[in-house]
Amino acid sequence: MDFAREIARFVTAAIGGIYIVNEQTREIAFADAAVERLYGSGLVGKRAADVFPWEARSLHAPLSRDEATEWECVDRERGIYWRLHHGLFDKDGGVYKIGQLTNTTEFMLLSQEVTEYSVLSEKVSTFQSAMLEKISASHSALLPVIAGFFKTPRLYFLLARNGRLETTAYDARAGAETRGHLPLASVHDAAFGAPGRTELTADQLAEPVRALIAARGGAAGNRFVRICAGTFSDQRYALYLELDERSDRKALDIAILAAIIALCVENSLLREEIIYESEHDKLTGLYNKGKYLARLKHEYPHLESVAIFNFDVNYLKQTNDTHGHEAGDRLLMKAAASIRKVTADDVHGYRLGGDEYLMIACNGQAADVEPLKARWEEALAEVNREVNDGIPCIVAVGTAFAEKPYDFAELMKIADARMYEDKRRKKKPGEEIR
């Protein structure tokens, strides 16, 4: 049986097409129906280089009359990947080039997808590894990794907890982090909305994000993306990326990256929550005795100078006996609130137990002690005005200050003795001192 016709039809119609070029004139001598369907009818006699994009380019290897030479090319105008087989033959005293076209578009697109997926997978894996290396660190330690991956000039992290909004701005170019806080009542819920990859202008951002960006030197002309946002253990968070011309916008389309970031942020918040609970007194929110003992071992004996404020709440037992323990707890919380109002990075407040409180001011001057004490007294008066429940909070305080070298234990004794002197002054005549 003769299958020549069926074979020719399959090769030309199903796989690609055939064309022939006169090598002397560089004109098309033949084009089958498959070629004409793509490149137009009436091709015979036209210059091959004007019709086929690959014919306008120089070949990189000589053609052979004995075997076909294989090429790969892209017809970008039609979006087709071709595999070309060329060969030469002689006919009627002329030399002709025959070309067979095989459409490999689907294969090449699939190959591209596989390559892109491989690159994407490696990219995600690299990012995930970098983030996991910081999994035991605070959430701020994640920001340089995120900024470097997305090539963003700045990051803005919002964290609502404990009645206030904590803000962190990270400048990737300077490698600098700036922190601040705002009253939580000033924060619009839209600032913590669902994450999205839609790029926003500064004017489209909710307050206080817009104010934070303006305050931290963000470029108003750049665009912004809220890459992750969520709620974790009564804490709300959101992370904003500032974008410029160098930012990797393709990475923003990888949804799993946002999930990785959210997971690491929430893990860091969980870790911070565990540490916070282990270091703070549950009733008052001040540092607890365990945190004080840790700092006493590693930090307080080695300061350049130290100021000790020893506090004791008056009338606690009387309040418990007369008004109940809930009223006594309110008294303890008032005392703690007054101390908390004057604490800072270098001024630490503690509840050591019962009605005993301590405040340590690090590396200050002797002249700072009385003004700090006065600020605390003003804070206590303010707390008593704010919580006017008929049971004023009266607190005795004793202070001690010394520069290096000093004996911390001896300073504690001095502050304790002065606290009892103050307690006597604040007691009514005939009242027991305790």
Side-chain angles (χ1 to χ4, degrees), residues 308-359:
I308 298 173
F309 296 74
N310 195 355
F311 302 96
D312 189 271
V313 180
N314 289 2
Y315 305 113
L316 177 62
K317 184 178 185 305
Q318 180 179 331
T319 301
N320 285 332
D321 293 344
T322 305
H323 302 284
H325 285 278
E326 287 187 4
D329 286 347
R330 288 199 301 273
L331 209 59
L332 293 173
M333 287 187 284
K334 288 180 188 179
S338 69
I339 296 169
R340 195 162 48 245
K341 283 177 178 287
V342 296
T343 56
D345 290 341
D346 55 355
V347 181
H348 311 146
Y350 301 90
R351 182 190 178 201
L352 299 184
D355 58 355
E356 297 177 9
Y357 296 84
L358 191 66
M359 189 165 72

Side-chain angles (χ1 to χ4, degrees), residues 45 122 137 150 164 170 226 257 413:
E122 183 177 354
F150 289 98
R164 68 178 188 175
Y170 177 73
R226 182 171 53 218
L257 296 180
K413 290 179 183 179

Side-chain angles (χ1 to χ4, degrees), residues 143 152-159 166-171 178 191 205 208-220 222-228 237-243:
L143 302 185
T152 177
R154 295 177 186 85
L155 297 177
Y156 306 93
F157 186 76
L158 309 181
L159 178 60
E166 300 174 18
T167 64
T168 304
Y170 177 73
D171 188 323
T178 307
L205 297 172
V209 184
R210 187 163 60 246
L212 173 62
I213 289 169
R216 300 308 178 204
N222 287 349
R223 301 181 73 82
F224 304 85
V225 169
R226 182 171 53 218
I227 194 168
C228 74
Y237 66 88
L239 176 63
Y240 287 80
L241 275 65
E242 183 175 335
L243 307 176

Side-chain angles (χ1 to χ4, degrees), residues 94-244:
V95 179
Y96 294 86
K97 177 174 69 178
I98 185 169
Q100 181 192 31
L101 302 177
T102 304
N103 191 334
T104 61
T105 303
E106 290 189 9
F107 172 78
M108 292 300 294
L109 292 177
L110 178 60
S111 179
Q112 279 186 351
E113 289 178 5
V114 171
T115 301
E116 289 174 0
Y117 178 80
S118 177
V119 171
L120 172 62
S121 178
E122 183 177 354
K123 195 172 188 178
V124 170
S125 178
T126 300
F127 178 71
Q128 187 172 21
S129 297
M131 292 291 283
L132 289 176
E133 287 180 2
K134 304 288 186 180
I135 195 108
S136 296
S138 66
H139 61 268
S140 64
L142 303 173
L143 302 185
V145 179
I146 299 169
F149 182 82
F150 289 98
K151 297 181 177 62
T152 177
R154 295 177 186 85
L155 297 177
Y156 306 93
F157 186 76
L158 309 181
L159 178 60
R161 62 181 177 185
N162 301 327
R164 68 178 188 175
L165 177 73
E166 300 174 18
T167 64
T168 304
Y170 177 73
D171 188 323
R173 294 171 185 170
E177 179 183 292
T178 307
R179 296 189 182 188
H181 63 271
L182 295 168
L184 196 55
S186 67
V187 182
H188 195 281
D189 284 345
F192 296 98
R197 293 185 294 279
T198 303
E199 293 186 21
L200 305 171
T201 64
D203 291 339
Q204 293 172 309
L205 297 172
E207 289 287 358
V209 184
R210 187 163 60 246
L212 173 62
I213 289 169
R216 300 308 178 204
N222 287 349
R223 301 181 73 82
F224 304 85
V225 169
R226 182 171 53 218
I227 194 168
C228 74
T231 301
F232 176 79
S233 186
D234 297 326
Q235 303 175 78
R236 302 173 71 189
Y237 66 88
L239 176 63
Y240 287 80
L241 275 65
E242 183 175 335
L243 307 176
D244 62 13

